Amino acid sequence: MPTIAPHPTPTTHPVALSATEARRIALRAQGFLGAPNRAAGVRGVLRDLGAVQLDTISVLARSHELIPYARLGAIGRKKVEQAYWTQTHAFEYWSHAACILPIEEWPHFAFRRRAYRNRPHWNHHLPEGAYDQVIKQLRAEGPLTATELGGAKNKGEWWDWSDSKVAVERALMYGEVVCVERRGWKRVYDLAERAIPADLLHDDLDDKECVRRLVVQAGQALGVGTRSDIADYHRLKSEQFDAVIAETGLVPVTVEGWGGKPAWADPAALESTPRGRHRTTLLSPFDSLVWERARAERIFGFTHRLEAYVPKPKRIHGYFAMPVLAGGQLVGRVDPAREGTTLVARQVSLDGPKAVPGVAQALLEAASWVGCDSVRVERMTDAALKQELVRALD
């Protein structure tokens, strides 16, 4: 594994990495290789990843619970929520999607708050005074849900937000309001002036400095990535990436099998060979290790698509198929469900018999984590492999 200086000169040739080296760098950067920092716990995972994606789907558990679980093991689910939402540790905002973000990153999203303030949103009509009324109510009453602010919806379709919901969401995008926790999946809003520590509550950084910091953070969280990989991490535009990459300290690299795509690596990731093993685990489809399909294909040779929004007859692997990480590779998929105290593997897809022990281990551990005492396997295309998996689960 090559060792390089942290800040190469502009004439330095790109560092050549093998496909295996790049894969192991990515696994270590994402918290899967080496001993997990249990003292730092969920907050350490959030800090290292820089963003934990939220999603409404809850099958085995919600995605923001599955992400620390995949790295730390069966940490209590209440502890996960407490780690995110107590002691002003995090806030929710738009990054890769709706994400939980470390509180110290608040200043670096000033560029996005400014962009939202300077453009119209959603085509929702907002009556005069509705925005000011929401701010006034939050100031007087403290943290509130949209329902407590006057109702989240009108009587139309699901997207027919009430005036107060439109107003508070607009205030959140502008940075005047913050989502400080999720309560029964509902956002709880508070004024930024109360929720964000005083030393962080500013928009002083210009757009370029904000983007530079987020490119650096994404490079560190990915370990190694292409322009698209790194920019997509916080949904930055290509031209934003191009404007700052020379000032980030990220190191140009070439990676075997990446089709000659220009790539960059975190200099710290190149200073030592990634070592260690990781636990076998189920991954949320919204885990940052796999959330970009093209990157997952490039690194793991694994094609994955979330099929929750695919018509049922056209699904191949299932509604919420979760990739299985074992031995540094993605070895299969499990589409889970829960029936009482039974974890149901509605559909299992494996790369071959070598994947059976890892998938069985992942299923048993996940079942225990969510309070199930048994596992039932339903559909597999290979009957012999299904028998092997059922035996491994006994």
Side-chain angles (χ1 to χ4, degrees), residues 151-231:
K153 300 177 184 178
N154 293 321
K155 295 181 180 180
E157 302 292 343
W158 66 269
W159 61 84
D160 186 21
W161 285 356
S162 69
D163 293 341
S164 58
K165 174 67 172 176
V166 173
V168 76
E169 285 291 323
R170 195 168 295 184
L172 182 140
M173 296 174 83
Y174 294 172
E176 194 167 357
V177 160
V178 179
C179 175
V180 292
E181 69 171 302
R182 290 275 187 156
R183 188 185 302 156
W185 197 241
K186 292 181 178 180
R187 281 178 172 154
V188 179
Y189 305 92
D190 198 5
L191 298 180
E193 64 194 50
R194 282 198 297 247
I196 305 299
D199 60 331
L200 299 175
L201 185 61
H202 63 79
D203 283 0
D204 295 348
L205 303 180
D206 64 24
D207 286 12
K208 188 174 183 180
E209 177 57 22
C210 291
V211 171
R212 189 197 69 80
R213 161 59 193 164
L214 293 180
V215 168
V216 170
Q217 192 282 316
Q220 292 170 342
L222 292 171
V224 58
T226 64
R227 176 187 192 227
S228 175
D229 295 342
I230 297 170

Side-chain angles (χ1 to χ4, degrees), residues 127-154:
E128 185 176 353
Y131 187 98
D132 292 340
Q133 175 56 37
V134 160
I135 300 300
K136 181 179 178 181
Q137 190 174 349
L138 286 171
R139 180 164 285 118
E141 299 179 30
L144 298 169
T145 65
T147 301
E148 292 165 337
L149 282 165
K153 300 177 184 178
N154 293 321

Side-chain angles (χ1 to χ4, degrees), residues 276-290:
R277 299 169 62 86
H278 63 81
R279 44 193 294 279
T280 299
T281 190
L282 300 174
L283 297 176
S284 163
F286 303 108
D287 194 298
S288 49
L289 183 69
V290 295

Side-chain angles (χ1 to χ4, degrees), residues 163-357:
D163 293 341
S164 58
K165 174 67 172 176
V166 173
V168 76
E169 285 291 323
R170 195 168 295 184
L172 182 140
M173 296 174 83
Y174 294 172
E176 194 167 357
V177 160
V178 179
C179 175
V180 292
E181 69 171 302
R182 290 275 187 156
R183 188 185 302 156
W185 197 241
K186 292 181 178 180
R187 281 178 172 154
V188 179
Y189 305 92
D190 198 5
L191 298 180
E193 64 194 50
R194 282 198 297 247
I196 305 299
D199 60 331
L200 299 175
L201 185 61
H202 63 79
D203 283 0
D204 295 348
L205 303 180
D206 64 24
D207 286 12
K208 188 174 183 180
E209 177 57 22
C210 291
V211 171
R212 189 197 69 80
R213 161 59 193 164
L214 293 180
V215 168
V216 170
Q217 192 282 316
Q220 292 170 342
L222 292 171
V224 58
T226 64
R227 176 187 192 227
S228 175
D229 295 342
I230 297 170
D232 184 66
Y233 202 83
H234 292 293
R235 294 283 200 251
L236 302 174
K237 297 176 181 178
S238 296
E239 56 267 29
Q240 291 174 315
F241 174 92
D242 293 341
V244 302
I245 184 60
E247 304 170 14
T248 62
L250 297 179
V251 177
V253 298
T254 60
V255 182
E256 174 193 14
W258 283 22
K261 289 179 178 287
W264 290 263
D266 173 22
L270 298 175
E271 291 176 356
S272 62
T273 301
R275 301 186 184 279
R277 299 169 62 86
H278 63 81
R279 44 193 294 279
T280 299
T281 190
L282 300 174
L283 297 176
S284 163
F286 303 108
D287 194 298
S288 49
L289 183 69
V290 295
W291 65 18
E292 188 181 359
R293 288 169 57 190
R295 177 176 169 84
E297 290 177 16
R298 206 183 320 117
I299 292 178
F300 297 104
F302 186 88
T303 301
H304 186 70
R305 179 187 184 189
L306 177 66
E307 296 180 342
Y309 308 111
V310 173
K312 189 173 182 179
K314 295 184 178 181
R315 291 176 190 156
I316 299 171
H317 299 292
Y319 175 80
F320 194 72
M322 300 178 67
V324 182
L325 180 67
Q329 298 286 353
L330 299 176
V331 300
R333 303 166 179 82
V334 172
D335 184 35
R338 293 166 64 184
E339 292 181 5
T341 60
T342 299
L343 190 156
V344 181
R346 294 186 293 191
Q347 184 166 333
V348 179
S349 307
L350 301 184
D351 287 351
K354 289 184 179 179
V356 169

Side-chain angles (χ1 to χ4, degrees), residues 82-98:
Q82 290 170 350
Y84 287 136
W85 299 125
T86 58
Q87 299 175 335
T88 318
H89 179 74
F91 70 105
E92 181 186 331
Y93 200 60
W94 297 100
S95 165
H96 185 80

